[in-house]
Amino acid sequence: MKSKQADQSRNTLLQAAFCEIHRKGYQAASIANILQDTGLTKGALYHHFPTKQSLGLAVVKEVIGENLAKLLCDPIRQSEDPVEALLYLISHIDRKVAPDFVMLGCPLNNLMQEMSALDPEFKASLNGILKRWRDTVEWALITGQKRGDIRSDVDAKSAALFIVSAWEGCIGIAKNMQSNSAFKSCMKQLHSYVMSLCVK
Amino acid sequence: MKSKQADQSRNTLLQAAFCEIHRKGYQAASIANILQDTGLTKGALYHHFPTKQSLGLAVVKEVIGENLAKLLCDPIRQSEDPVEALLYLISHIDRKVAPDFVMLGCPLNNLMQEMSALDPEFKASLNGILKRWRDTVEWALITGQKRGDIRSDVDAKSAALFIVSAWEGCIGIAKNMQSNSAFKSCMKQLHSYVMSLCVK
DNA sequence: TATAATATATACCGACCGGTATGGATCCGT
DNA sequence: ACGGATCCATACCGGTCGGTATATATTATA
């Protein structure tokens, strides 16, 4: 049996770690800073997570992965017209996330860029999340083909890979420019790319 | 008058710093590691660069900026058919860079993701490099419109922003997947996007 | 060649890092 | 209510970090 209080502490730590990592990156994220935000101490942290790496991986799986699934995958998979749902997400994603998300970048992409070449465990975990997203987009395109919305000559797998890549690229560039309008302009072009996959 | 030997030392340090930063990122890049590669010591480094930040900024400006200009901007600006040059670069960029570039990612994008939200000087310098690239692509599209290759209803500025964003996105995702073939597949889609801007 | 300026090496510093050891508080099944 | 497990706080450790002070070697100038 596990106590409610302990679970709450674990959650508090996860959330604070997510914020610190989102702002500074994983390597620059300081255990001391994370703890300062929570009011807890090292005793609590190292009780729930044996190492900083395990904390980071838990953030990836339980916070970033979950959020991305809820934000992007679920709406597409639950829609009767997945392509329309995808296009809607591309157009309106900026309204569905916190305003500082463009400034801080996509948590998934940030960590991929930082950690994939350094730590195979991070790479594997991040890749899993990415693949789920890619597969969802691919599924939307294939479903669109079956419904007659997407041209049959479109290679769904390649197109899905590109959509996800360009998406992350748009956030990344907008983050560097610290410009919300650049992000919207960029996503508009992605929208028109997806439209170009549709039957006339 | 400056000595040849001193300039060479400075260059050695810059190059070693670039490699270390490319592999680990700026924050995780260790002064000690950089020096170990060069055979020089802190005395030399801190004679040429007052701080780690100034070393990083010099790497951005003198190594990354120069390389990107030579690799991407110059071929487009010097071509009589800039759109063709752009398409050629998109198709063949993987042959023009070291084989580990896909594995380590684009040095410019890596630093943008890591540093833009943390350090305004890095942000400004990286943004300058990015803008030069964006402007080059925009110029290629506008020139293409004048030549009748690109549709006149294309918003060159937005399209250029998207092309650069998607480009970096492709490298980023391929880096995470550690897959050269994914990169090529992704760039192929970018190629078809640019083709979709051309007159039939 | 004497001298001043430049260039590099070495030893050292305080700050911060992730991690550990240990003791106390709290909860929980019996 | 008692004993054991879970949960958390405190103090501390070795190591690494960027940076500095200083002495020495090299080079440029006169």
Side-chain angles (χ1 to χ4, degrees), chain A residues 23-24 27-28 112-113 116 118 123 127 158 161-162 165 169 172-173 175-176 178 182 185-186 189-190 193, chain B residues 23 27-28 112-113 116 118 123 127 158 161-162 165 169 172-173 175-176 178 182 185-186 189-190 193:
Chain A
R23 282 180 163 70
K24 310 266 189 71
Q27 298 179 92
M112 288 196 306
Q113 300 311 315
S116 279
L118 294 180
K123 180 196 159 195
N127 246 322
S158 296
L161 177 62
F162 178 71
S165 299
I173 297 299
K175 168 189 170 186
N176 184 57
Q178 300 276 302
S185 157
C186 214
Q189 296 295 312
L190 179 57
Y193 166 80
Chain B
R23 281 177 165 69
Q27 298 178 92
M112 288 196 306
Q113 300 311 316
S116 278
L118 294 180
K123 179 196 160 193
N127 246 323
S158 296
L161 177 62
F162 178 70
S165 298
I173 296 297
K175 168 188 171 188
N176 185 57
Q178 300 276 301
S185 157
C186 214
Q189 296 295 313
L190 178 58
Y193 166 79

mmCIF file of all heavy atoms in Angstrom, chain A residues 23-24 27-28 112-113 116 118 123 127 158 161-162 165 169 172-173 175-176 178 182 185-186 189-190 193, chain B residues 23 27-28 112-113 116 118 123 127 158 161-162 165 169 172-173 175-176 178 182 185-186 189-190 193:
data_model
loop_
_atom_site.group_PDB
_atom_site.id
_atom_site.type_symbol
_atom_site.label_atom_id
_atom_site.label_comp_id
_atom_site.label_asym_id
_atom_site.label_seq_id
_atom_site.Cartn_x
_atom_site.Cartn_y
_atom_site.Cartn_z
ATOM 1 N N ARG A 23 13.032 24.643 -18.856
ATOM 2 C CA ARG A 23 13.666 25.963 -18.939
ATOM 3 C C ARG A 23 15.151 25.883 -19.210
ATOM 4 O O ARG A 23 15.685 26.621 -20.036
ATOM 5 C CB ARG A 23 13.433 26.729 -17.628
ATOM 6 C CG ARG A 23 12.059 27.315 -17.536
ATOM 7 C CD ARG A 23 11.795 28.066 -16.260
ATOM 8 N NE ARG A 23 10.625 28.922 -16.400
ATOM 9 C CZ ARG A 23 9.382 28.482 -16.489
ATOM 10 N NH1 ARG A 23 9.150 27.198 -16.450
ATOM 11 N NH2 ARG A 23 8.368 29.316 -16.625
ATOM 12 N N LYS A 24 15.832 24.953 -18.537
ATOM 13 C CA LYS A 24 17.287 24.938 -18.601
ATOM 14 C C LYS A 24 17.860 23.804 -19.438
ATOM 15 O O LYS A 24 19.051 23.809 -19.733
ATOM 16 C CB LYS A 24 17.854 24.807 -17.171
ATOM 17 C CG LYS A 24 17.277 25.777 -16.151
ATOM 18 C CD LYS A 24 18.116 27.011 -16.024
ATOM 19 C CE LYS A 24 17.638 27.856 -14.854
ATOM 20 N NZ LYS A 24 17.959 27.223 -13.539
ATOM 21 N N GLN A 27 20.686 18.630 -18.616
ATOM 22 C CA GLN A 27 22.017 18.670 -17.993
ATOM 23 C C GLN A 27 22.199 19.896 -17.107
ATOM 24 O O GLN A 27 22.838 19.826 -16.052
ATOM 25 C CB GLN A 27 23.103 18.638 -19.072
ATOM 26 C CG GLN A 27 23.086 17.374 -19.897
ATOM 27 C CD GLN A 27 24.146 17.371 -20.988
ATOM 28 O OE1 GLN A 27 25.252 16.900 -20.811
ATOM 29 N NE2 GLN A 27 23.800 17.928 -22.148
ATOM 30 N N ALA A 28 21.651 21.003 -17.545
ATOM 31 C CA ALA A 28 21.805 22.227 -16.761
ATOM 32 C C ALA A 28 20.781 22.311 -15.635
ATOM 33 O O ALA A 28 20.894 23.183 -14.776
ATOM 34 C CB ALA A 28 21.685 23.449 -17.669
ATOM 35 N N MET A 112 15.203 15.864 -27.082
ATOM 36 C CA MET A 112 15.760 15.065 -28.175
ATOM 37 C C MET A 112 17.067 15.682 -28.648
ATOM 38 O O MET A 112 18.073 14.992 -28.811
ATOM 39 C CB MET A 112 14.763 14.991 -29.333
ATOM 40 C CG MET A 112 13.559 14.122 -29.055
ATOM 41 S SD MET A 112 12.647 13.665 -30.548
ATOM 42 C CE MET A 112 12.323 15.252 -31.297
ATOM 43 N N GLN A 113 17.032 16.979 -28.872
ATOM 44 C CA GLN A 113 18.239 17.639 -29.380
ATOM 45 C C GLN A 113 19.382 17.532 -28.389
ATOM 46 O O GLN A 113 20.537 17.371 -28.757
ATOM 47 C CB GLN A 113 17.956 19.120 -29.687
ATOM 48 C CG GLN A 113 16.882 19.357 -30.718
ATOM 49 C CD GLN A 113 17.057 18.525 -31.969
ATOM 50 O OE1 GLN A 113 18.141 18.405 -32.502
ATOM 51 N NE2 GLN A 113 15.989 17.913 -32.422
ATOM 52 N N SER A 116 19.662 12.874 -27.146
ATOM 53 C CA SER A 116 19.620 11.657 -27.953
ATOM 54 C C SER A 116 21.011 11.145 -28.303
ATOM 55 O O SER A 116 21.253 9.948 -28.331
ATOM 56 C CB SER A 116 18.819 11.895 -29.228
ATOM 57 O OG SER A 116 17.449 11.786 -28.954
ATOM 58 N N LEU A 118 23.634 11.609 -26.544
ATOM 59 C CA LEU A 118 24.463 11.436 -25.342
ATOM 60 C C LEU A 118 24.074 10.217 -24.527
ATOM 61 O O LEU A 118 24.936 9.547 -23.958
ATOM 62 C CB LEU A 118 24.366 12.679 -24.454
ATOM 63 C CG LEU A 118 24.936 13.976 -25.011
ATOM 64 C CD1 LEU A 118 24.772 15.111 -24.002
ATOM 65 C CD2 LEU A 118 26.411 13.797 -25.353
ATOM 66 N N LYS A 123 17.370 8.498 -25.423
ATOM 67 C CA LYS A 123 17.050 8.369 -26.840
ATOM 68 C C LYS A 123 15.905 7.382 -27.054
ATOM 69 O O LYS A 123 14.950 7.670 -27.772
ATOM 70 C CB LYS A 123 18.288 7.905 -27.606
ATOM 71 C CG LYS A 123 18.058 7.732 -29.089
ATOM 72 C CD LYS A 123 19.168 6.920 -29.719
ATOM 73 C CE LYS A 123 18.696 6.326 -31.034
ATOM 74 N NZ LYS A 123 19.581 5.252 -31.516
ATOM 75 N N ASN A 127 12.349 8.510 -28.375
ATOM 76 C CA ASN A 127 11.987 7.936 -29.661
ATOM 77 C C ASN A 127 10.625 7.250 -29.610
ATOM 78 O O ASN A 127 9.859 7.295 -30.573
ATOM 79 C CB ASN A 127 13.057 6.930 -30.100
ATOM 80 C CG ASN A 127 13.792 7.407 -31.329
ATOM 81 O OD1 ASN A 127 13.177 7.985 -32.213
ATOM 82 N ND2 ASN A 127 15.089 7.183 -31.378
ATOM 83 N N SER A 158 6.254 8.535 -45.135
ATOM 84 C CA SER A 158 7.197 9.639 -45.372
ATOM 85 C C SER A 158 6.553 10.980 -45.066
ATOM 86 O O SER A 158 7.178 11.861 -44.465
ATOM 87 C CB SER A 158 7.675 9.622 -46.822
ATOM 88 O OG SER A 158 8.403 8.449 -47.089
ATOM 89 N N LEU A 161 6.365 11.504 -41.336
ATOM 90 C CA LEU A 161 7.681 11.855 -40.809
ATOM 91 C C LEU A 161 7.996 13.321 -41.067
ATOM 92 O O LEU A 161 8.483 14.043 -40.197
ATOM 93 C CB LEU A 161 8.755 10.971 -41.442
ATOM 94 C CG LEU A 161 10.198 11.259 -41.041
ATOM 95 C CD1 LEU A 161 10.406 11.050 -39.554
ATOM 96 C CD2 LEU A 161 11.162 10.388 -41.845
ATOM 97 N N PHE A 162 7.660 13.757 -42.272
ATOM 98 C CA PHE A 162 7.940 15.151 -42.617
ATOM 99 C C PHE A 162 7.063 16.115 -41.834
ATOM 100 O O PHE A 162 7.540 17.151 -41.357
ATOM 101 C CB PHE A 162 7.743 15.377 -44.118
ATOM 102 C CG PHE A 162 7.968 16.799 -44.535
ATOM 103 C CD1 PHE A 162 9.255 17.341 -44.529
ATOM 104 C CD2 PHE A 162 6.919 17.606 -44.916
ATOM 105 C CE1 PHE A 162 9.472 18.652 -44.905
ATOM 106 C CE2 PHE A 162 7.131 18.923 -45.303
ATOM 107 C CZ PHE A 162 8.417 19.444 -45.294
ATOM 108 N N SER A 165 8.448 16.362 -38.394
ATOM 109 C CA SER A 165 9.734 17.060 -38.431
ATOM 110 C C SER A 165 9.543 18.546 -38.626
ATOM 111 O O SER A 165 10.140 19.371 -37.913
ATOM 112 C CB SER A 165 10.600 16.499 -39.562
ATOM 113 O OG SER A 165 10.872 15.132 -39.358
ATOM 114 N N GLY A 169 10.359 21.617 -36.245
ATOM 115 C CA GLY A 169 11.215 22.665 -36.790
ATOM 116 C C GLY A 169 10.597 24.040 -36.630
ATOM 117 O O GLY A 169 11.282 24.999 -36.267
ATOM 118 N N GLY A 172 10.930 25.108 -33.084
ATOM 119 C CA GLY A 172 12.323 25.406 -32.782
ATOM 120 C C GLY A 172 12.760 26.757 -33.307
ATOM 121 O O GLY A 172 13.387 27.542 -32.587
ATOM 122 N N ILE A 173 12.415 27.039 -34.548
ATOM 123 C CA ILE A 173 12.809 28.325 -35.128
ATOM 124 C C ILE A 173 12.087 29.465 -34.433
ATOM 125 O O ILE A 173 12.682 30.497 -34.102
ATOM 126 C CB ILE A 173 12.523 28.333 -36.644
ATOM 127 C CG1 ILE A 173 13.364 27.278 -37.359
ATOM 128 C CG2 ILE A 173 12.786 29.708 -37.228
ATOM 129 C CD1 ILE A 173 14.848 27.475 -37.241
ATOM 130 N N LYS A 175 11.027 29.488 -31.464
ATOM 131 C CA LYS A 175 11.632 29.637 -30.141
ATOM 132 C C LYS A 175 12.886 30.497 -30.226
ATOM 133 O O LYS A 175 13.103 31.389 -29.415
ATOM 134 C CB LYS A 175 11.966 28.265 -29.582
ATOM 135 C CG LYS A 175 12.861 28.281 -28.351
ATOM 136 C CD LYS A 175 13.303 26.863 -28.001
ATOM 137 C CE LYS A 175 14.386 26.851 -26.942
ATOM 138 N NZ LYS A 175 14.918 25.495 -26.702
ATOM 139 N N ASN A 176 13.689 30.230 -31.244
ATOM 140 C CA ASN A 176 14.909 31.016 -31.374
ATOM 141 C C ASN A 176 14.594 32.477 -31.664
ATOM 142 O O ASN A 176 15.206 33.374 -31.092
ATOM 143 C CB ASN A 176 15.773 30.471 -32.498
ATOM 144 C CG ASN A 176 17.096 31.201 -32.584
ATOM 145 O OD1 ASN A 176 17.839 31.234 -31.614
ATOM 146 N ND2 ASN A 176 17.378 31.807 -33.721
ATOM 147 N N GLN A 178 11.987 33.847 -30.755
ATOM 148 C CA GLN A 178 11.116 34.304 -29.671
ATOM 149 C C GLN A 178 9.929 35.060 -30.258
ATOM 150 O O GLN A 178 9.574 36.140 -29.773
ATOM 151 C CB GLN A 178 11.898 35.189 -28.698
ATOM 152 C CG GLN A 178 13.084 34.479 -28.053
ATOM 153 C CD GLN A 178 12.707 33.654 -26.841
ATOM 154 O OE1 GLN A 178 12.163 34.165 -25.886
ATOM 155 N NE2 GLN A 178 12.972 32.348 -26.890
ATOM 156 N N ALA A 182 5.877 34.411 -35.918
ATOM 157 C CA ALA A 182 6.662 33.558 -36.812
ATOM 158 C C ALA A 182 6.170 32.122 -36.724
ATOM 159 O O ALA A 182 6.082 31.418 -37.741
ATOM 160 C CB ALA A 182 8.141 33.634 -36.452
ATOM 161 N N SER A 185 2.912 31.841 -38.650
ATOM 162 C CA SER A 185 3.175 31.898 -40.091
ATOM 163 C C SER A 185 3.742 30.582 -40.596
ATOM 164 O O SER A 185 3.384 30.080 -41.670
ATOM 165 C CB SER A 185 4.128 33.052 -40.391
ATOM 166 O OG SER A 185 4.807 32.841 -41.605
ATOM 167 N N CYS A 186 4.617 30.017 -39.797
ATOM 168 C CA CYS A 186 5.283 28.769 -40.177
ATOM 169 C C CYS A 186 4.291 27.615 -40.210
ATOM 170 O O CYS A 186 4.296 26.797 -41.127
ATOM 171 C CB CYS A 186 6.396 28.493 -39.173
ATOM 172 S SG CYS A 186 7.829 27.698 -39.874
ATOM 173 N N GLN A 189 2.163 27.452 -43.270
ATOM 174 C CA GLN A 189 2.782 26.797 -44.416
ATOM 175 C C GLN A 189 2.684 25.279 -44.288
ATOM 176 O O GLN A 189 2.477 24.573 -45.281
ATOM 177 C CB GLN A 189 4.250 27.209 -44.533
ATOM 178 C CG GLN A 189 4.464 28.681 -44.812
ATOM 179 C CD GLN A 189 3.928 29.080 -46.164
ATOM 180 O OE1 GLN A 189 4.181 28.426 -47.161
ATOM 181 N NE2 GLN A 189 3.166 30.167 -46.199
ATOM 182 N N LEU A 190 2.845 24.791 -43.075
ATOM 183 C CA LEU A 190 2.698 23.347 -42.863
ATOM 184 C C LEU A 190 1.272 22.919 -43.201
ATOM 185 O O LEU A 190 1.054 21.854 -43.802
ATOM 186 C CB LEU A 190 3.037 22.993 -41.407
ATOM 187 C CG LEU A 190 2.895 21.519 -41.032
ATOM 188 C CD1 LEU A 190 3.750 20.631 -41.917
ATOM 189 C CD2 LEU A 190 3.221 21.290 -39.563
ATOM 190 N N TYR A 193 0.969 22.574 -46.786
ATOM 191 C CA TYR A 193 1.602 21.340 -47.264
ATOM 192 C C TYR A 193 0.650 20.161 -47.127
ATOM 193 O O TYR A 193 0.488 19.363 -48.059
ATOM 194 C CB TYR A 193 2.897 21.062 -46.494
ATOM 195 C CG TYR A 193 3.415 19.656 -46.691
ATOM 196 C CD1 TYR A 193 4.119 19.311 -47.836
ATOM 197 C CD2 TYR A 193 3.163 18.658 -45.749
ATOM 198 C CE1 TYR A 193 4.569 18.015 -48.040
ATOM 199 C CE2 TYR A 193 3.607 17.359 -45.938
ATOM 200 C CZ TYR A 193 4.305 17.043 -47.084
ATOM 201 O OH TYR A 193 4.749 15.760 -47.281
ATOM 202 N N ARG B 23 29.372 18.221 -29.879
ATOM 203 C CA ARG B 23 29.086 16.907 -29.303
ATOM 204 C C ARG B 23 28.280 16.988 -28.026
ATOM 205 O O ARG B 23 27.326 16.233 -27.822
ATOM 206 C CB ARG B 23 30.383 16.151 -29.035
ATOM 207 C CG ARG B 23 30.965 15.534 -30.271
ATOM 208 C CD ARG B 23 32.294 14.830 -30.029
ATOM 209 N NE ARG B 23 32.630 13.973 -31.152
ATOM 210 C CZ ARG B 23 32.969 14.409 -32.362
ATOM 211 N NH1 ARG B 23 33.011 15.703 -32.589
ATOM 212 N NH2 ARG B 23 33.245 13.565 -33.338
ATOM 213 N N GLN B 27 26.672 24.258 -22.715
ATOM 214 C CA GLN B 27 26.756 24.231 -21.251
ATOM 215 C C GLN B 27 27.539 23.023 -20.759
ATOM 216 O O GLN B 27 28.282 23.123 -19.781
ATOM 217 C CB GLN B 27 25.351 24.253 -20.645
ATOM 218 C CG GLN B 27 24.567 25.491 -20.992
ATOM 219 C CD GLN B 27 23.159 25.469 -20.414
ATOM 220 O OE1 GLN B 27 22.915 25.953 -19.321
ATOM 221 N NE2 GLN B 27 22.225 24.881 -21.142
ATOM 222 N N ALA B 28 27.345 21.917 -21.395
ATOM 223 C CA ALA B 28 28.034 20.703 -20.958
ATOM 224 C C ALA B 28 29.455 20.631 -21.492
ATOM 225 O O ALA B 28 30.217 19.761 -21.085
ATOM 226 C CB ALA B 28 27.251 19.468 -21.396
ATOM 227 N N MET B 112 20.811 26.902 -30.993
ATOM 228 C CA MET B 112 19.583 27.688 -30.882
ATOM 229 C C MET B 112 18.665 27.073 -29.838
ATOM 230 O O MET B 112 18.135 27.766 -28.976
ATOM 231 C CB MET B 112 18.870 27.743 -32.237
ATOM 232 C CG MET B 112 19.566 28.627 -33.258
ATOM 233 S SD MET B 112 18.515 29.058 -34.655
ATOM 234 C CE MET B 112 17.982 27.450 -35.219
ATOM 235 N N GLN B 113 18.474 25.771 -29.923
ATOM 236 C CA GLN B 113 17.562 25.115 -28.990
ATOM 237 C C GLN B 113 18.065 25.246 -27.565
ATOM 238 O O GLN B 113 17.300 25.418 -26.628
ATOM 239 C CB GLN B 113 17.394 23.634 -29.348
ATOM 240 C CG GLN B 113 16.841 23.380 -30.724
ATOM 241 C CD GLN B 113 15.604 24.192 -31.030
ATOM 242 O OE1 GLN B 113 14.705 24.319 -30.217
ATOM 243 N NE2 GLN B 113 15.571 24.804 -32.197
ATOM 244 N N SER B 116 19.079 29.920 -26.886
ATOM 245 C CA SER B 116 18.328 31.127 -27.232
ATOM 246 C C SER B 116 17.472 31.645 -26.078
ATOM 247 O O SER B 116 17.351 32.851 -25.887
ATOM 248 C CB SER B 116 17.452 30.864 -28.456
ATOM 249 O OG SER B 116 18.211 30.982 -29.623
ATOM 250 N N LEU B 118 18.142 31.202 -22.993
ATOM 251 C CA LEU B 118 18.948 31.400 -21.784
ATOM 252 C C LEU B 118 19.840 32.627 -21.855
ATOM 253 O O LEU B 118 20.054 33.302 -20.855
ATOM 254 C CB LEU B 118 19.828 30.162 -21.526
ATOM 255 C CG LEU B 118 19.117 28.860 -21.181
ATOM 256 C CD1 LEU B 118 20.110 27.737 -20.954
ATOM 257 C CD2 LEU B 118 18.249 29.054 -19.953
ATOM 258 N N LYS B 123 21.474 34.299 -28.428
ATOM 259 C CA LYS B 123 20.267 34.402 -29.240
ATOM 260 C C LYS B 123 20.483 35.373 -30.396
ATOM 261 O O LYS B 123 20.173 35.064 -31.553
ATOM 262 C CB LYS B 123 19.099 34.869 -28.377
ATOM 263 C CG LYS B 123 17.810 35.028 -29.151
ATOM 264 C CD LYS B 123 16.802 35.846 -28.374
ATOM 265 C CE LYS B 123 15.753 36.415 -29.311
ATOM 266 N NZ LYS B 123 14.940 37.450 -28.667
ATOM 267 N N ASN B 127 20.590 34.223 -34.168
ATOM 268 C CA ASN B 127 19.523 34.772 -34.992
ATOM 269 C C ASN B 127 20.064 35.454 -36.236
ATOM 270 O O ASN B 127 19.455 35.388 -37.304
ATOM 271 C CB ASN B 127 18.710 35.774 -34.171
ATOM 272 C CG ASN B 127 17.300 35.285 -33.950
ATOM 273 O OD1 ASN B 127 16.720 34.674 -34.829
ATOM 274 N ND2 ASN B 127 16.768 35.537 -32.769
ATOM 275 N N SER B 158 7.271 33.975 -46.019
ATOM 276 C CA SER B 158 6.714 32.873 -45.228
ATOM 277 C C SER B 158 7.253 31.531 -45.694
ATOM 278 O O SER B 158 7.585 30.661 -44.879
ATOM 279 C CB SER B 158 5.183 32.872 -45.330
ATOM 280 O OG SER B 158 4.648 34.043 -44.771
ATOM 281 N N LEU B 161 10.785 31.052 -44.496
ATOM 282 C CA LEU B 161 10.796 30.710 -43.073
ATOM 283 C C LEU B 161 10.457 29.241 -42.875
ATOM 284 O O LEU B 161 11.092 28.529 -42.091
ATOM 285 C CB LEU B 161 9.804 31.593 -42.313
ATOM 286 C CG LEU B 161 9.643 31.317 -40.824
ATOM 287 C CD1 LEU B 161 10.942 31.534 -40.084
ATOM 288 C CD2 LEU B 161 8.534 32.178 -40.221
ATOM 289 N N PHE B 162 9.456 28.778 -43.610
ATOM 290 C CA PHE B 162 9.040 27.392 -43.464
ATOM 291 C C PHE B 162 10.110 26.431 -43.976
ATOM 292 O O PHE B 162 10.385 25.396 -43.360
ATOM 293 C CB PHE B 162 7.731 27.144 -44.202
ATOM 294 C CG PHE B 162 7.271 25.726 -44.125
ATOM 295 C CD1 PHE B 162 6.804 25.198 -42.932
ATOM 296 C CD2 PHE B 162 7.321 24.899 -45.246
ATOM 297 C CE1 PHE B 162 6.383 23.885 -42.851
ATOM 298 C CE2 PHE B 162 6.897 23.578 -45.167
ATOM 299 C CZ PHE B 162 6.432 23.073 -43.969
ATOM 300 N N SER B 165 12.797 26.236 -41.418
ATOM 301 C CA SER B 165 12.288 25.551 -40.232
ATOM 302 C C SER B 165 12.192 24.047 -40.463
ATOM 303 O O SER B 165 12.639 23.245 -39.641
ATOM 304 C CB SER B 165 10.911 26.105 -39.860
ATOM 305 O OG SER B 165 10.985 27.471 -39.550
ATOM 306 N N GLY B 169 14.140 21.013 -38.793
ATOM 307 C CA GLY B 169 13.324 19.972 -38.189
ATOM 308 C C GLY B 169 13.703 18.591 -38.689
ATOM 309 O O GLY B 169 13.796 17.643 -37.911
ATOM 310 N N GLY B 172 16.869 17.560 -37.062
ATOM 311 C CA GLY B 172 16.642 17.276 -35.657
ATOM 312 C C GLY B 172 16.009 15.917 -35.431
ATOM 313 O O GLY B 172 16.458 15.144 -34.577
ATOM 314 N N ILE B 173 14.982 15.624 -36.189
ATOM 315 C CA ILE B 173 14.312 14.338 -36.022
ATOM 316 C C ILE B 173 15.240 13.201 -36.433
ATOM 317 O O ILE B 173 15.336 12.176 -35.749
ATOM 318 C CB ILE B 173 13.015 14.310 -36.855
ATOM 319 C CG1 ILE B 173 12.035 15.362 -36.342
ATOM 320 C CG2 ILE B 173 12.391 12.925 -36.817
ATOM 321 C CD1 ILE B 173 11.579 15.149 -34.929
ATOM 322 N N LYS B 175 18.391 13.199 -36.316
ATOM 323 C CA LYS B 175 19.396 13.067 -35.262
ATOM 324 C C LYS B 175 18.857 12.222 -34.123
ATOM 325 O O LYS B 175 19.538 11.340 -33.605
ATOM 326 C CB LYS B 175 19.786 14.452 -34.752
ATOM 327 C CG LYS B 175 20.599 14.460 -33.476
ATOM 328 C CD LYS B 175 20.760 15.879 -32.962
ATOM 329 C CE LYS B 175 21.369 15.909 -31.574
ATOM 330 N NZ LYS B 175 21.348 17.273 -30.996
ATOM 331 N N ASN B 176 17.615 12.488 -33.752
ATOM 332 C CA ASN B 176 17.047 11.708 -32.664
ATOM 333 C C ASN B 176 16.915 10.240 -33.055
ATOM 334 O O ASN B 176 17.227 9.351 -32.269
ATOM 335 C CB ASN B 176 15.680 12.248 -32.283
ATOM 336 C CG ASN B 176 15.122 11.536 -31.077
ATOM 337 O OD1 ASN B 176 15.746 11.520 -30.031
ATOM 338 N ND2 ASN B 176 13.972 10.919 -31.224
ATOM 339 N N GLN B 178 18.711 8.859 -35.122
ATOM 340 C CA GLN B 178 20.045 8.415 -35.531
ATOM 341 C C GLN B 178 19.959 7.638 -36.837
ATOM 342 O O GLN B 178 20.554 6.568 -36.984
ATOM 343 C CB GLN B 178 20.682 7.554 -34.423
ATOM 344 C CG GLN B 178 20.845 8.275 -33.105
ATOM 345 C CD GLN B 178 22.107 9.109 -33.035
ATOM 346 O OE1 GLN B 178 23.207 8.605 -33.180
ATOM 347 N NE2 GLN B 178 21.947 10.414 -32.844
ATOM 348 N N ALA B 182 16.193 8.201 -42.694
ATOM 349 C CA ALA B 182 15.066 9.045 -42.310
ATOM 350 C C ALA B 182 15.318 10.479 -42.741
ATOM 351 O O ALA B 182 14.403 11.164 -43.213
ATOM 352 C CB ALA B 182 14.840 8.980 -40.801
ATOM 353 N N SER B 185 14.719 10.711 -46.491
ATOM 354 C CA SER B 185 13.295 10.638 -46.789
ATOM 355 C C SER B 185 12.602 11.958 -46.461
ATOM 356 O O SER B 185 11.737 12.440 -47.195
ATOM 357 C CB SER B 185 12.680 9.490 -45.981
ATOM 358 O OG SER B 185 11.297 9.680 -45.807
ATOM 359 N N CYS B 186 13.011 12.523 -45.346
ATOM 360 C CA CYS B 186 12.404 13.770 -44.889
ATOM 361 C C CYS B 186 12.743 14.921 -45.833
ATOM 362 O O CYS B 186 11.877 15.741 -46.171
ATOM 363 C CB CYS B 186 12.917 14.070 -43.489
ATOM 364 S SG CYS B 186 11.727 14.874 -42.424
ATOM 365 N N GLN B 189 10.678 15.041 -48.943
ATOM 366 C CA GLN B 189 9.378 15.690 -48.803
ATOM 367 C C GLN B 189 9.520 17.210 -48.858
ATOM 368 O O GLN B 189 8.678 17.898 -49.424
ATOM 369 C CB GLN B 189 8.732 15.285 -47.468
ATOM 370 C CG GLN B 189 8.411 13.812 -47.359
ATOM 371 C CD GLN B 189 7.349 13.389 -48.344
ATOM 372 O OE1 GLN B 189 6.319 14.044 -48.481
ATOM 373 N NE2 GLN B 189 7.601 12.303 -49.058
ATOM 374 N N LEU B 190 10.578 17.712 -48.262
ATOM 375 C CA LEU B 190 10.822 19.153 -48.334
ATOM 376 C C LEU B 190 11.036 19.565 -49.787
ATOM 377 O O LEU B 190 10.551 20.616 -50.232
ATOM 378 C CB LEU B 190 12.042 19.524 -47.480
ATOM 379 C CG LEU B 190 12.435 21.001 -47.504
ATOM 380 C CD1 LEU B 190 11.285 21.888 -47.037
ATOM 381 C CD2 LEU B 190 13.679 21.252 -46.655
ATOM 382 N N TYR B 193 7.814 19.859 -51.408
ATOM 383 C CA TYR B 193 7.123 21.088 -51.002
ATOM 384 C C TYR B 193 7.605 22.269 -51.838
ATOM 385 O O TYR B 193 6.800 23.059 -52.336
ATOM 386 C CB TYR B 193 7.359 21.384 -49.513
ATOM 387 C CG TYR B 193 6.965 22.789 -49.129
ATOM 388 C CD1 TYR B 193 5.629 23.128 -48.906
ATOM 389 C CD2 TYR B 193 7.917 23.797 -49.001
ATOM 390 C CE1 TYR B 193 5.269 24.426 -48.575
ATOM 391 C CE2 TYR B 193 7.573 25.102 -48.672
ATOM 392 C CZ TYR B 193 6.236 25.401 -48.454
ATOM 393 O OH TYR B 193 5.879 26.679 -48.138
#
